């Protein structure tokens, strides 16, 4: 459904994309995962026909993003990173406006947006600028869906939205996927990777890895331990001095310690005791996408 | 009928759908025909009006400003002078000189502050600030005029305020000219003729006649160029432009949709200014109304094309506004002949003034409104404006980006 | 007295609307305290009261030993503030930003210069020292902003969603800086709605509709709800009826 071949783009001397090759299958919910500045927005804008790549090519539904940009603009739904609706228009006016410029009506495609729109309906006469963050995102999604696009390009739809709205948003995406819409969504939240069919980990304009979330996590090949003591700061400093340690990163209440080779936990326990740590806890840790990301991006 | 369009507050647009288009797939095809474009444009314009109407503060400024400016220029900032104190040094002391003195002080422009008795007193009076102008009548004032020679009458004005000085001496010469002509109706005197030419089309020398065309030009420039450039860049700034560009909406439609409301607003402002000018200040419209409106419309288009051009080159409202102010408004006010006469500018500025659309528009307005001229009088200026408009539109079409940056 | 912050029935009303509804809590010295809540739950309003920017409607609060009603100026001198949205002037150079903030807090010129050198050295930013802030990567900016916020060695530093959008490695480096700061005795008060940031805190409070719905260590909270992550705790609290639908 979406293909890119060696996409490159620079802003002045700063490279934003350094050769992106991507394949997204029809009906797939595909995640672009990476921090700010990884190149996610640039990639999505190129696919939305809003930017020209310096090099390489890209196709949506076998249509070229440069040559066939008009055709693509008819068939995609695009949601930019920041809230891009008219704040001084009401919910209903926004929706009607976008329906009309796509040459359709709310009624014609109501089926598709019904689940989302019922939540907005009580506020339909409220100005979009007065909606809560979560509601704004829902309205923006409705506007992007109103013309029944075959591909949905969503640029960081959950950034700055509270956890409840974030979860609701992902539930909506799952339902849209069930209606056979191909969805490309970018996010800086690593934990959202598990909600996608497949993800691409991006950093500094390059793709680190593309796979299913489970396979990515399973590809972690080093012993990983979660360690905790009374003084986390001291713990980090001491583990960095620990010879078998590969990487040491704080990870919530624990510190994730990856090892160059298998080491008995007792050995680590003893090492920490020697350095005056108390309340030592050491356990096996399940690697997360973040562990993978850090491992890959450090190479 | 699942495709009944649900327009904002205008659900009656069903008539767009021809009878044959009953089935859905017909409707799909129908989407890409020009009538679909019509509907897109109309909702775009409606949306634009919502923006304008809901931004109360800006709306108030847009609608109130023309009136305020006209009244301000008409009443307060006028360089028209009323009841200026003058002194008369009458060496003649005869019947004629008495009558002229009377005539001067009877006019609304002058008040006789004090009789003067010597040239020394004139200077003292100026220094004390008790008079703004002195009129010196020569001995045998009436007799010389009777022989048909121009009276060597002297007007002395305070040069520290050149504008007032010029105006006062103009008024005085006008009155004196009238007076002399009455005395000698049969003999045309060179000086009299000269004075009369100066006063043609604006016999009362009312400054408001100069300001109405000027204010109109400034307002049209402001509403058309500045407001459209701000309105378009706002969409870029807020990010909605991104969504519009990623939609199948043709880019020219975006621009036309944004511009039409401002054309209407600008024409409404024109009406307000013309109404105030004619009703409150008694300004005549001697020419053809249709021609006047056509010329206004043309200038609105010129200004709009400039506004669009600015908006294609800038990405933020702030820059668009500064740019409009510096590059459009200031020259319009300073170099168009609105406030400072072009003839008295240094040559380089006179040359520059030619590329300022406002200059040509003001000439057209004065010709049509005051001289009552028709196309035969203003065709050159009209062609210049037309040429500028085509040039600016071509330039903005070239630089309008169908993508981001 | 051992508390960096004490709040007792702290309340703020705007007309009929109660933004913060009688919240009470204490923050220990040197603690990393997470202040969580959805958008509009009252986090920002509460933090404004604690930083002396907004006068409470009711209740009491002591920050760094000073009363929020009577001594807001004393409080401002003893706290640092950093937010993801605004912290540094993008059109100033790195060194200029440091000098500016040093100047605001009245540090002597010589000390500011030394601190600037030390900071740039510690952060490993010497290659950026004379570049505009707008030109340096986001992660560096965040670390710089934090360092500047604690330049005047405040008793408490308030962080407003400090690490959103930052790459995982930089985020860890950032949290290490926070641990270090807390270890040196500065209290860290983090407001955020990013739940992964909550996991790093010693204790967290979760605000729902102006009230504190829960206040405990992340471990105890997760245990009491029988869930694995703070995200799930948050969903349970803000969306009664369960988080996994």
């Amino acid at each position: 459904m979406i293909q890119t071949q060696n996409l490159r783009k620079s802003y002045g001397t700063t490279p934003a994309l350094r050769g992106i090759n991507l394949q997204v299958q029809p009906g797939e919910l595909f995640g672009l995962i990476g921090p700010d500045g990884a190149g996610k927005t640039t990639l999505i804008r190129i696919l939305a026909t809003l930017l020209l790549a310096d090099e390489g090519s890209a196709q949506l539904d076998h249509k070229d993003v440069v040559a066939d940009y008009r055709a693509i603009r008819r068939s995609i739904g695009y949601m930019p990173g920041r809230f891009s609706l008219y704040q001084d228009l009401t919910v209903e006016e926004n929706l009607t406006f976008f329906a009309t410029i796509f040459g359709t009506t709310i009624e014609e495609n109501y089926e598709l947006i019904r689940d989302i729109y019922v939540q907005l309906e009580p506020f339909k006469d409220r100005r979009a600028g007065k909606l809560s963050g979560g509601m704004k995102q829902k309205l923006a999604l409705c506007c992007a869906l109103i013309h029944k696009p075959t591909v949905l390009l969503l640029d960081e739809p959950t950034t700055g939205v509270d956890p409840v709205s974030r979860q609701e948003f992902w539930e909506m995406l799952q339902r849209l996927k069930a209606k056979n819409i191909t969805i490309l969504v970018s996010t800086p939240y690593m934990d959202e990777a598990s909600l996608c069919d497949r993800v691409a980990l991006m950093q500094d304009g390059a793709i680190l890895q593309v796979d299913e979330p489970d396979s990515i996590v399973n590809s972690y090949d080093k012993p990983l331990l979660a360690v905790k003591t009374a003084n986390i700061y001291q713990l980090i400093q001491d583990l960095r001095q620990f010879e078998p340690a590969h990487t040491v990163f704080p990870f919530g209440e624990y510190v994730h310690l990856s090892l160059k080779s298998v080491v008995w936990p007792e050995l680590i326990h003893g090492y920490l005791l020697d350095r005056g740590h108390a309340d030592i806890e050491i356990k096996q840790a399940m690697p997360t996408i973040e562990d993978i990301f850090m491992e890959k991006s450090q190479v | 009928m699942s495709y009944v369009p649900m327009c904002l507050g205008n659900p009656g647009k069903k008539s767009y759908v021809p009878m044959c288009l009953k089935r859905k797939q017909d409707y799909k095809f129908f989407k890409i025909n020009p009538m679909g474009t019509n509907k897109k444009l109309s909702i775009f314009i409606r949306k634009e009006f919502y923006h304008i109407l809901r931004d109360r503060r800006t709306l108030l400024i847009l609608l109130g400003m023309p009136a305020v400016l006209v009244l301000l220029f008409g009443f307060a900032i006028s360089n028209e002078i009323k009841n200026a104190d003058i002194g008369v040094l009458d060496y003649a002391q005869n019947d004629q000189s008495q009558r002229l003195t009377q005539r001067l002080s009877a006019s609304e422009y002058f008040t006789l502050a004090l009789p003067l008795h010597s040239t020394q007193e004139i200077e003292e009076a100026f220094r004390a600030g008790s008079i703004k102008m002195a009129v010196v009548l020569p001995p045998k004032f009436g007799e010389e005029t009777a022989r048909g020679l121009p009276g060597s009458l002297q007007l002395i004005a305070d040069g520290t305020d050149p504008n007032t000085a010029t105006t006062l001496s103009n008024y005085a010469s006008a009155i004196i000219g009238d007076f002399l002509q009455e005395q000698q109706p049969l003999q045309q005197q060179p000086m009299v003729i000269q004075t009369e030419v100066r006063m043609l089309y604006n016999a009362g020398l009312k400054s408001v006649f100069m300001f109405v065309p000027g204010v109109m030009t400034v307002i049209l420039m402001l509403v058309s160029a500045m407001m459209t450039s701000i309105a378009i860049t706002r969409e870029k700034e807020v990010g909605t432009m991104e969504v519009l560009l990623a939609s199948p909406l043709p880019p020219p439609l975006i621009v036309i949709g944004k511009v039409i409301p401002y054309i209407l607003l600008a024409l409404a402002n024109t009406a307000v200014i013309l109404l105030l000018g004619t009703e409150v200040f008694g300004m005549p419209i001697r020419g053809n109304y249709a021609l006047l409106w056509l010329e206004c419309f043309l200038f609105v288009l010129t200004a709009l094309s400039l506004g669009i051009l600015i908006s294609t080159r800038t990405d933020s409202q702030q820059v668009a506004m500064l740019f409009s102010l510096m590059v459009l408004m200031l020259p319009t006010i300073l170099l168009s002949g609105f406030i400072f006469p072009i003839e008295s500018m240094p040559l380089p500025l006179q040359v520059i003034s030619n590329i300022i659309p406002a200059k040509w528009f003001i000439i057209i307005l004065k010709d049509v409104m005051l001289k009552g001229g028709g196309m035969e009088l203003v065709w050159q200026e009209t062609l210049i404006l037309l040429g500028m408009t085509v040039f600016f539109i071509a330039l903005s079409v070239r630089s309008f980006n169908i993508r981001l940056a | 007295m051992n508390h960096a912050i004490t709040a007792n029935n702290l309340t703020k009303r705007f007309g009929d609307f109660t933004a913060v509804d009688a919240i009470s809590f204490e923050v220990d010295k040197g603690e990393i305290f997470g202040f969580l809540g959805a958008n509009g739950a009252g986090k920002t309003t509460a933090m404004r009261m604690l930083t002396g920017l907004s006068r409470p409607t009711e209740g009491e609060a002591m920050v760094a030993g000073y009363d929020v009603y009577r001594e807001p100026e004393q409080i401002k001198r003893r706290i640092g503030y950093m937010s993801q949205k605004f912290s540094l002037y993008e059109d100033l150079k790195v060194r200029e930003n440091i000098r500016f903030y040093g100047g605001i807090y009245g540090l002597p010129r010589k000390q500011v210069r030394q601190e600037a050198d030390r900071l740039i050295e510690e952060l490993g930013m010497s290659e950026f020292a004379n570049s505009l802030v707008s030109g340096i990567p986001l992660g560096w900016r965040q670390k710089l902003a934090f360092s500047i916020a604690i330049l005047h060695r405040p008793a408490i530093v308030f962080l407003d969603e400090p690490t959103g959008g930052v790459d995982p490695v930089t985020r860890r480096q950032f949290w290490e800086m926070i641990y270090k700061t807390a270890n040196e005795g500065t209290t860290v008060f983090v407001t955020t709605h990013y739940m992964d940031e909550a996991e790093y805190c010693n204790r967290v409070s979760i605000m729902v509709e102006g009230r504190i719905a829960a206040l405990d260590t992340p471990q105890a909270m997760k245990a009491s709800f029988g869930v694995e992550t703070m995200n799930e705790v948050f969903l349970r609290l803000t969306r009664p009826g369960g988080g996994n639908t």
Side-chain angles (χ1 to χ4, degrees), chain C residues 100-109 111-112 152:
Chain C
F100 172 73
Y101 281 101
I104 283 188
Y105 287 100
L107 300 185
R109 196 176 290 243
Q111 192 190 340
V112 173
H152 59 294

Side-chain angles (χ1 to χ4, degrees), chain B residues 84-290:
Chain B
D85 291 325
I86 58 166
V88 175
L89 176 54
D90 186 355
Y91 286 119
Q93 294 290 351
N94 59 17
D95 186 40
Q96 299 274 25
S97 72
Q98 296 281 323
R99 271 163 61 192
L100 179 59
T101 308
Q102 234 166 33
R103 178 73 70 89
L104 281 172
S105 61
S107 89
E108 56 177 324
Y109 308 119
F110 303 112
T111 306
L112 200 57
L114 62 164
L116 301 166
H117 303 101
S118 68
T119 36
Q120 245 176 348
E121 276 185 40
I122 297 179
E123 199 167 340
E124 281 164 19
F126 272 123
R127 282 183 193 282
S130 49
I131 58 168
K132 295 244 188 274
M133 187 177 70
V135 182
V136 185
L137 301 174
K140 304 180 185 172
F141 171 66
E143 295 159 38
E144 270 181 78
T145 42
R147 283 204 303 276
L149 292 167
S152 57
L153 178 151
Q154 205 178 10
L155 292 178
I156 303 168
D158 180 0
T160 54
D161 180 357
N163 277 340
T164 311
T166 316
T167 314
L168 284 177
S169 58
N170 280 347
Y171 289 161
S173 347
I175 293 168
I176 295 163
D178 273 356
F179 175 79
L180 294 179
Q181 208 180 10
E182 277 167 33
Q183 304 304 308
Q184 296 292 332
L186 297 173
Q187 283 168 298
Q188 298 293 318
Q189 297 167 15
M191 181 190 122
V192 176
I193 291 166
Q194 232 175 18
T195 331
E196 193 149 296
V197 169
R198 203 192 285 271
M199 298 312 136
L200 249 177
Y201 314 122
N202 187 0
L205 266 178
K206 293 219 173 150
S207 60
V208 70
F209 289 12
M210 302 296 143
F211 282 128
V212 166
V215 169
M216 210 151 99
T217 313
V218 170
I219 295 284
L220 293 189
M221 203 50 147
L222 195 82
V223 173
S224 312
M226 191 156 119
M227 293 312 292
T228 40
S229 68
I230 290 176
I232 296 177
T233 44
R234 182 170 56 195
E235 299 239 14
K236 289 193 192 177
E237 212 175 274
V238 178
T240 42
M241 191 57 104
E242 216 174 314
V243 182
L244 295 180
L245 284 178
S247 82
L249 210 57
L253 206 76
I254 299 176
V255 173
I256 295 170
K258 288 214 76 85
V259 150
I260 286 181
Y262 289 97
I263 296 184
L264 298 178
L265 206 60
L267 292 181
N269 279 329
T270 308
V272 170
I273 297 169
L274 285 180
L275 213 68
L276 280 175
T278 50
E279 297 305 312
V280 179
F281 298 105
M283 179 164 185
I285 299 178
R286 300 201 176 97
N288 186 326
Y289 272 79

Side-chain angles (χ1 to χ4, degrees), chain C residues 23-44:
Chain C
I23 58 170
S24 304
F25 62 91
E26 279 139 19
V27 181
D28 293 335
K29 276 189 183 157
E31 190 178 16
I32 302 174
F33 187 82
F35 200 63
L36 319 185
N39 289 328
K43 291 191 312 275
T44 308

Side-chain angles (χ1 to χ4, degrees), chain C residues 113-143:
Chain C
R113 210 173 310 130
Q114 288 167 348
E115 291 279 338
D117 289 341
R118 180 187 59 82
L119 256 181
I120 290 167
E121 162 90 38
E122 264 182 28
L123 292 170
M125 291 186 70
S126 37
E127 57 169 319
F128 297 124
N130 288 313
S131 12
L132 295 182
V133 166
S134 57
I136 67 175
L138 180 75
W140 291 103
R141 264 191 252 181
Q142 300 291 80
K143 287 190 275 184

